[in-house]
Amino acid sequence: MKKWRSIAAGAGCFSLLFTAGTVPVSASDEITEIPEQSIVYWSMWEDDEPQADVIREAAEAYEEATGISVEIEWKGRKISDLIGPALDAGEEIDLFDDDYQRMIQDHSRYLTELDKMAETMNYQTHIMPILREQMKKWNKEQLLTMPYQPYITGVWYDRELWEEAGFTEDDIPETWEGLLKVCRKIKNSDSGLNAMTCDENAVDLLYGYQLARYIGQDAVLRVIRNGTWDQVPEALQAAKDIRTLFFAGYMSKEAPAPEHEGQNEIGNGESVMVLQGSWAPDEIMKETDSQIQWGFFPWPAPAEGKDGTEGVMIGAQGFGITESSEKKQESFDFAYSLCTGEYDMKMTETVNSIPADSDFTQWPEAIADARTYLENMTTPYMWAAGLERSEGYKEEIREELLRLVRLTETPEEFIAHLSEITG
């Protein structure tokens, strides 16, 4: 039997509040005995990733404070495909994590509404306001997930290579035409540098951003839903634009490369820019054993486009508690310890990510250049402006995009094939 201290969490019930490895004491300092028990947590991380190290440490501290162990199963990124069938089959899972938007939009039927538990801890004041707004928008004002490790998406560049290519901060492009000018200058210089690079898993990001700049994200979603690619001239123009980056030699000859190999060209001093999420700087420096002073700017906008650089993709991972769990409060308390306080800061420091707890205003130096753009963002984008939101469509559009940028099909053929897929 383990003893733990509890605090009032509402009329007639008690809740564990676990923060930074300490167990809080209620006004009555009541001590309650509970039997040995555990939380079953399916994680989106692999067990050798740095995020896993922070989670393991938090789990050990939670068990030491409460006597409740956290049984972690490291499922990796395939968790989005695994969690539904497992829960449908009656698998006992208390807690899982994944992209916070995907959890709400694809797995909401499995998730517990968290507002009451969150209210007792004043948790919602800790959530970045834009993340809170998005979550409420996606699910009728209910809080279904607890975001952590937020990220922003845009163009990351090596400041030293940027200067080596003859640019200053005044040359940061805000328009598509300006980006092409920068790429052209790098390609024609004696630096030997590639202007840009990308991985296979980010080609949808390139096209999604470009199309959304022309017509806005809501219109992108309508095109996907209705399959009207061949009826939207901007869809063809966006395809031509992205293909130009590869056809004109502005992209590395190795791009689109297998995962991480393209973005690592920056750490190896071969390429200057990459469009990716804010996890990329940390991954690149660790995998290439490099130290880089990073710059950032949002994806530029065409002169005749609807959206400008106020449109930025912001996202996060999220913890969700299953409706079938018999340890909802315990699961919430453990997740809370990772989304706020000490372990949120450890996650931030370990992987150079944006703090999840809005009480923390200091960003890691590696990604600090993006903070101003996030604060000025007024149009939140989804990943690839929503190209992944059509079930079963993600892989098909990526295959078509890979053919487009590898120059094995024309923009016209690309649009025709997308119309066939979704028409």
Side-chain angles (χ1 to χ4, degrees):
M1 303 280 283
K2 294 283 185 181
K3 292 185 177 181
W4 58 295
R5 296 171 187 258
S6 62
I7 66 168
C13 66
F14 289 89
S15 164
L16 169 69
L17 171 59
F18 170 73
T19 306
T22 62
V23 182
V25 185
S26 69
S28 62
D29 197 22
E30 179 178 355
I31 297 179
T32 307
E33 291 190 352
I34 62 171
E36 293 273 7
Q37 57 179 313
S38 64
I39 297 167
V40 178
Y41 160 44
W42 278 26
S43 175
M44 66 173 288
W45 306 107
E46 304 285 354
D47 63 358
D48 59 350
E49 292 186 279
Q51 289 88 346
D53 293 335
V54 178
I55 291 170
R56 267 190 292 262
E57 184 179 344
E60 290 169 3
Y62 180 81
E63 182 174 7
E64 182 179 351
T66 67
I68 303 170
S69 65
V70 182
E71 306 299 328
I72 307 174
E73 295 195 28
W74 306 103
K75 300 297 184 180
R77 306 308 184 272
K78 295 292 185 183
I79 193 166
S80 57
D81 298 323
L82 300 174
I83 192 68
L87 290 169
D88 287 340
E91 186 91 24
E92 292 187 13
I93 304 168
D94 299 298
L95 182 71
F96 70 98
D97 55 358
D98 194 5
D99 177 87
Y100 84 136
Q101 180 182 358
R102 183 159 53 235
M103 292 182 73
I104 293 171
Q105 295 189 331
D106 293 355
H107 301 305
S108 60
R109 66 187 180 279
Y110 302 113
L111 296 173
T112 296
E113 182 271 316
L114 304 174
D115 286 282
K116 290 182 181 178
M117 287 184 283
E119 186 176 339
T120 66
M121 313 283 273
N122 204 25
Y123 167 61
Q124 296 214 38
T125 64
H126 291 274
I127 304 173
M128 188 182 296
I130 184 60
L131 299 181
R132 187 170 64 241
E133 291 169 15
Q134 290 293 93
M135 289 190 294
K136 295 289 189 178
K137 173 184 175 182
W138 294 328
N139 199 70
K140 300 177 182 178
E141 299 298 313
Q142 285 185 320
L143 180 67
L144 292 181
T145 186
M146 303 168 71
Y148 73 103
Q149 198 185 3
Y151 58 88
I152 185 174
T153 302
V155 179
W156 300 92
Y157 66 96
D158 183 324
R159 288 182 181 273
E160 183 177 339
L161 297 181
W162 183 262
E163 293 173 3
E164 183 180 329
F167 298 111
T168 68
E169 287 193 4
D170 292 337
D171 297 306
I172 292 173
E174 294 185 0
T175 66
W176 172 248
E177 294 75 18
L179 178 63
L180 292 180
K181 183 177 178 180
V182 166
C183 290
R184 189 180 307 116
K185 184 173 179 179
I186 295 175
K187 180 179 183 292
N188 294 335
S189 71
D190 296 328
S191 66
L193 295 168
N194 304 308
M196 298 189 73
T197 186
C198 76
D199 292 333
E200 292 175 344
N201 64 355
V203 291
D204 51 350
L205 191 58
L206 287 165
Y207 182 69
Y209 251 123
Q210 190 70 358
L211 181 55
R213 289 298 193 237
Y214 276 116
I215 64 176
Q217 181 173 255
D218 289 345
V220 173
L221 295 173
R222 287 195 295 272
V223 171
I224 295 170
R225 182 170 58 250
N226 300 325
T228 53
W229 298 93
D230 55 359
Q231 301 173 36
V232 178
E234 294 88 350
L236 176 59
Q237 186 59 53
K240 290 179 178 179
D241 292 345
I242 297 307
R243 189 177 187 272
T244 293
L245 292 175
F246 294 82
F247 182 78
Y250 300 154
M251 277 282 180
S252 163
K253 291 181 179 178
E254 305 303 318
E259 187 173 5
H260 292 182
E261 290 184 15
Q263 67 180 31
N264 285 349
E265 291 179 2
I266 297 181
N268 293 328
E270 301 166 0
S271 297
V272 180
M273 299 176 283
V274 65
L275 174 63
Q276 190 50 279
S278 51
W279 54 78
D282 185 71
E283 290 179 346
I284 291 167
M285 291 190 294
K286 286 176 178 174
E287 293 191 14
T288 61
D289 193 25
S290 59
Q291 291 297 316
I292 298 173
Q293 187 179 15
W294 291 97
F296 174 91
F297 58 87
W299 188 251
E304 301 301 322
K306 178 180 185 295
D307 286 350
T309 55
E310 77 285 350
V312 174
M313 195 273 161
I314 175 72
Q317 319 309 335
F319 289 107
I321 300 168
T322 64
E323 186 61 40
S324 59
S325 172
E326 296 181 359
K327 306 180 187 70
K328 292 182 175 65
Q329 187 64 60
E330 294 86 348
S331 298
F332 178 91
D333 294 331
F334 171 62
Y336 180 89
S337 76
L338 278 158
C339 297
T340 62
E342 176 185 356
Y343 289 105
D344 174 45
M345 284 307 301
K346 285 194 175 184
M347 185 72 77
T348 296
E349 294 165 357
T350 298
V351 298
N352 283 310
S353 64
I354 301 170
D357 192 335
S358 59
D359 285 352
F360 301 131
T361 58
Q362 188 71 30
W363 286 27
E365 183 180 354
I367 60 172
D369 201 44
R371 180 174 176 178
T372 300
Y373 291 104
L374 178 59
E375 291 173 344
N376 293 330
M377 180 270 293
T378 58
T379 306
Y381 278 6
M382 294 183 280
W383 179 262
L387 290 188
E388 298 185 352
R389 294 312 310 150
S390 181
E391 188 173 350
Y393 180 56
K394 173 182 174 181
E395 294 305 322
E396 291 178 289
I397 189 172
R398 182 168 293 171
E399 288 302 316
E400 290 299 328
L401 279 166
L402 288 172
R403 294 186 186 98
L404 177 73
V405 301
R406 287 172 177 154
L407 312 181
T408 60
E409 71 178 21
T410 66
E412 290 78 9
E413 290 170 333
F414 170 75
I415 293 298
H417 293 163
L418 291 189
S419 297
E420 292 172 2
I421 291 170
T422 58

